[in-house]
Amino acid sequence: MTVSTILKTKGNDVVSVGPEDLLSSVVDTLASRRIGAVLVLDSAGAVAGIMSERDIVRALSQDGPRALDKPVRQFMTADVVHAAPSDSIASVMEKMTLGRFRHLPILDGGRVAGIISIGDVVKRRIDDALHEAEALREYVASAG
Ligand code: AMP
């Protein structure tokens, strides 16, 4: 099972902001889109960073409300770990666990192909477990 299976149901849409966007606008975006992180893309569309709700908490703790008037680039994580559509779901779980983050951008030959969250991964694992249990039940019923 690979990341592309998740992207097939989830789609390739990625909510992004620019490095110069103000933190206040990122707060609005996260709230209105009901998501926990946005990708920061530069003017060429390349990944410049990732900004999650955790970074916003840290920014507010550090700078107080003034942080909201500062650009995203001051608070984002610039060293972004990513995965490819062909990567296994087990390997992305490992990346998220080891890196202690809940979001993983998916890049396909340098192009942003989507973003998956730990919630997407857990949902997929639960769906797979339910299908496997159903297949085993059917097998046992037909064998009996
Ligand atoms: P999260 O658990 O995704 O809310 O993120 C926790 C911290 O990890 C924040 O500082 C994020 O900026 C950072 N982070 C989130 N996703 C990634 C990623 N794929 N690569 C590197 N850092 C990340």
Side-chain angles (χ1 to χ4, degrees):
M1 195 68 69
T2 64
V3 168
S4 57
T5 326
I6 295 180
L7 292 182
K8 254 179 222 143
T9 35
K10 187 177 181 191
N12 302 92
D13 279 354
V14 174
V15 180
S16 66
V17 299
E20 299 304 326
D21 288 359
L22 297 183
L23 203 61
S24 56
S25 78
V26 177
V27 169
D28 289 341
T29 303
L30 293 180
S32 65
R33 303 297 293 259
R34 295 169 179 270
I35 52 175
V38 285
L39 213 49
V40 185
L41 300 182
D42 67 19
S43 53
V47 176
I50 191 162
M51 183 80 199
S52 95
E53 50 203 4
R54 290 254 169 97
D55 301 310
I56 293 170
V57 169
R58 205 174 300 129
L60 289 171
S61 161
Q62 195 181 296
D63 291 1
R66 278 169 299 141
L68 295 169
D69 298 321
K70 295 184 177 177
V72 170
R73 65 175 155 71
Q74 287 191 20
F75 306 107
M76 69 186 188
T77 301
D79 194 7
V80 181
V81 178
H82 62 269
S86 57
D87 285 351
S88 70
I89 291 177
S91 79
V92 299
M93 282 183 87
E94 193 182 341
K95 274 185 180 168
M96 286 174 161
T97 308
L98 291 177
R100 295 173 183 270
F101 45 69
R102 299 164 292 176
H103 299 89
L104 201 56
I106 308 304
L107 300 189
D108 192 0
R111 188 183 58 87
V112 179
I115 187 165
I116 59 173
S117 71
I118 192 73
D120 299 323
V121 175
V122 169
K123 182 180 180 306
R124 182 75 223 179
R125 293 292 293 243
I126 290 172
D127 287 350
D128 288 348
L130 290 174
H131 281 131
E132 197 178 329
E134 185 55 33
L136 281 172
R137 253 195 302 275
E138 278 169 18
Y139 174 73
V140 170
S142 66

